[in-house]
Amino acid sequence: MTVQTAPELYQPTSLDDAVERLAIAGPDAAPIAGATWIMRSPSRGESFLREYVSLARIEELRRIEDDGASLTIGAAVTHARLAGALAGYPALEALRQAASASANPSVRRQATVGGNLCTRDFAAADLVPALLSLSARVILAGPAGTTTAPLSRFLATRDTQPQGTVLAHVSVPLAPVVSAHARLTLRRAGDYPVAIVSVSAALDEAGVVGSATVAVGSVEPVARLWPELASAMTGRPLDADAAVRTARELAGAFTPRTSVEADDWYRLQVLPTVVGRAVRALERRGRAGRA
């Protein structure tokens, strides 16, 4: 039996130091914060890398800052802390729900925003569709400096980022919207949802949707926007039953995945139901906002 050598752990206290160390260490090193995914590597039959660079001691990555136009969330902020911090932000309810419902309490106290967005093989990450629905942008630190990009673009390019790149912050606009997050779990799936839907909408005084954003997670290997459904919801009052019907008509645009917790066909079958749950929550919030 082969015994794997324990990986090295480097613990910088500045973002610049972390970037430099990762750039020098090369592809056999990676950043970590909560390490909830990496610690379970052996159970997935995966080997540890030679070195991990911890972001946990970098103070700027642990902050949540509100500048009036957007909320900037450090990559090392935990799900539990994020859920508590968002209690005063009704427009970001989808993100609060995602942070407070993901996994289980012990994982939420350790798992971080950056880990949720950067873990390539974790299709069921709750924060990803929630942040997509809220038009979030990521702030990346790397050897060439800092760059900002829409989360959707980062998800498409995260495997090709230059060595040494660290997802440092996530910026979420504080827009006048209502938002909701819905997920469906099965007993055999444990903590992992088989389908996730996050929705945000800007409503006029009559409750008509001026614009909408819909994101879907866990159905495909990577969460993504559903612009066709968002477009169908725009220009009319929120209607969960209509959204369910439209979701059934448009669901063929997805290529669902099969995994140990659910088959591909089942994910597609339940997706419209999860859409309905999310839009019904929006209906309630829209009525409350106009009361």
Side-chain angles (χ1 to χ4, degrees), residues 6 16 50 157 186 194 221 240 286:
D16 287 344
R50 179 180 55 80
T157 61
L186 299 176
V194 298

Side-chain angles (χ1 to χ4, degrees), residues 62-169:
R62 299 164 60 88
R63 298 176 190 152
I64 301 174
E65 298 179 331
D66 179 349
D67 66 4
S70 61
L71 194 70
T72 300
I73 305 161
V77 172
T78 66
H79 290 52
R81 182 163 167 247
L82 179 61
L86 292 176
Y89 294 88
L92 305 184
E93 179 62 14
L95 185 55
R96 189 200 67 79
Q97 290 179 315
S100 62
S102 64
N104 57 66
S106 61
V107 170
R108 289 194 292 271
R109 288 191 291 268
Q110 294 294 324
T112 62
V113 173
N116 215 233
L117 301 187
C118 293
T119 302
R120 294 170 177 80
D121 298 323
F122 185 28
D126 274 270
L127 298 190
V128 182
L131 286 165
L132 282 171
S133 75
L134 294 167
S135 302
R137 299 177 68 84
V138 296
I139 301 166
L140 306 172
T146 301
T147 59
T148 303
L151 174 58
S152 55
R153 186 188 305 164
F154 169 73
L155 293 174
T157 61
R158 60 186 174 183
D159 290 338
T160 60
Q161 293 295 324
Q163 184 64 35
T165 301
V166 173
L167 192 154
H169 303 90

Side-chain angles (χ1 to χ4, degrees), residues 19 23-25 34 37 47 58 60 64 109 113 119 135 149 175 181 196 200 214 224 238 244 254 285 290:
V19 168
I24 293 172
W37 183 258
S47 299
I58 303 175
E60 69 172 284
I64 301 174
R109 288 191 291 268
V113 173
T119 302
S135 302
H181 180 82
I196 306 169
S200 72
V214 182
R224 70 171 175 93
L238 288 170
V244 170
F254 288 86
R285 295 192 183 105
R290 297 192 301 275

